[in-house]
Amino acid sequence: MLVEVFPDYEAISDRAAEIVTDQIRRKPDSVIGFATGSTPLGLYKRLIQNHAKHGLDFSKITTFNLDEYVGLSPDHDQSYHYFMWKNLFDHVNVTPARVHIPQGMADDVDAFCEWYERRIEQAGGIDLQILGIGGNGHIAFNEPGSSLGSRTRIKTLTQKTLEDNARFFDDPAEVPRYAITMGVGTIMDARKVLLLGSGSGKTAAIKATLEGPITAMVPATIVQLHRHAHILVDEAAAATLEYRHHHGITEPK
Ligand code: F6R
């Protein structure tokens, strides 16, 4: 694991943008796994700037998103489709046919999940998977207890997630109860994973991920077994790391 500690969120976003930009420049037809949530927003802002100012070309990349709510149409403002187009894809020159986001409205969700796995394989596998981390150590919608070998599948959302999401919906009946998510095993198949953790809400999860035992109860801990895991954290998220100066951590100059 390569762990880099930065002063703050902006610095993490700068570094993440450097890594993703470099990946696309070196391999214009890269397969990139994208995440939603607040953490990668700074990265996406910078990728948009790199496209506008420096001509970073997204036209040949293939994308796969980690997850999507079941039952939300792509134009619902809480769907991850909507999030990705609004915060990144609409502002760069991605080729829509190469964009993959799980279909929350699929008639046959299980068949869709199998297709998604096959599509990733056919695309040659994911070169670089971007990941956020939940306060409880989840990655994608793989909540504590998720099998570490899992593949893309439907998951029931936890009570906590249902409660957190309720505020975004006018009608409580609309709050999604299920999501389609890449599995932990799917994520581990990516050639590189880039995990971003920022703020005090992530301190315990980062400590467990980097220094705890590998356990399904903290799904992110599986990155300890990945051959090319790159972790970017800020001071707040790194606050309780015991072996900060001993396990491959680099401090930017
Ligand atoms: C997003 C995802 C989630 C988030 C995680 C952190 O596609 O799968 O696992 O990465 O919940 O969310 P934020 O970044 O909002 O703290």
Side-chain angles (χ1 to χ4, degrees):
M1 282 187 297
L2 173 62
V3 184
E4 293 185 279
V5 183
F6 293 90
D8 55 27
Y9 176 71
E10 297 305 319
I12 292 182
S13 303
D14 285 343
R15 179 74 178 119
E18 237 173 61
I19 294 167
V20 178
T21 299
D22 182 56
Q23 172 71 41
I24 298 174
R25 289 237 161 90
R26 272 189 304 105
K27 187 180 176 203
D29 61 349
S30 288
V31 180
I32 312 241
F34 285 99
T36 59
S38 52
T39 308
L41 284 174
L43 159 64
Y44 296 165
K45 226 170 70 191
R46 286 158 177 79
L47 291 179
I48 293 167
Q49 281 165 5
N50 286 350
H51 171 68
K53 290 196 191 144
H54 309 295
L56 182 64
D57 181 14
F58 290 76
S59 66
K60 296 191 189 65
I61 70 164
T62 297
T63 78
F64 287 93
N65 257 79
L66 286 172
D67 41 16
E68 177 59 289
Y69 291 117
V70 169
L72 293 193
S73 70
D75 54 3
H76 192 289
D77 65 2
Q78 293 304 316
S79 76
Y80 288 173
H81 271 82
Y82 186 90
F83 177 101
M84 284 310 300
W85 284 94
K86 175 164 159 263
N87 292 301
L88 180 61
F89 297 153
D90 268 339
H91 311 284
V92 296
N93 62 334
V94 283
T95 303
R98 293 181 187 272
V99 169
H100 303 86
I101 305 174
Q103 281 173 20
M105 300 292 276
D107 289 335
D108 183 340
V109 171
D110 291 342
F112 175 80
C113 292
E114 272 178 40
W115 176 84
Y116 204 67
E117 288 279 331
R118 264 204 319 276
R119 219 30 228 112
I120 294 173
E121 251 177 66
Q122 286 163 359
I126 294 172
D127 290 306
L128 175 66
Q129 176 64 56
I130 298 158
L131 293 174
I133 181 169
N136 62 2
H138 72 218
I139 44 176
F141 265 123
N142 299 289
E143 296 288 357
S146 294
S147 159
L148 297 180
S150 51
R151 312 303 307 184
T152 302
R153 68 213 183 290
I154 184 166
K155 289 288 285 179
T156 305
L157 302 181
T158 60
Q159 189 57 33
K160 168 90 171 62
T161 304
L162 295 182
E163 285 162 16
D164 288 350
N165 286 346
R167 66 183 190 280
F168 300 121
F169 295 84
D170 300 331
D171 177 0
E174 259 202 331
V175 183
R177 300 180 51 209
Y178 306 96
I180 295 174
T181 181
M182 273 189 208
V184 181
T186 320
I187 292 167
M188 284 295 283
D189 283 349
R191 282 184 273 283
K192 276 178 250 158
V193 297
L194 177 65
L195 187 147
L196 316 178
S198 169
S200 55
K202 306 295 168 70
T203 313
I206 288 297
K207 164 91 178 153
T209 298
L210 302 187
E211 298 183 347
I214 296 171
T215 168
M217 293 314 289
V218 184
T221 56
I222 195 70
V223 301
Q224 292 176 27
L225 288 178
H226 199 285
R227 293 180 63 183
H228 297 285
H230 197 155
I231 290 112
L232 310 182
V233 285
D234 59 13
E235 288 291 350
T240 58
L241 289 179
E242 199 175 327
Y243 293 98
R244 175 169 170 150
H245 298 290
H246 298 277
H247 57 113
I249 287 184
T250 64
E251 309 282 345
K253 294 165 192 75

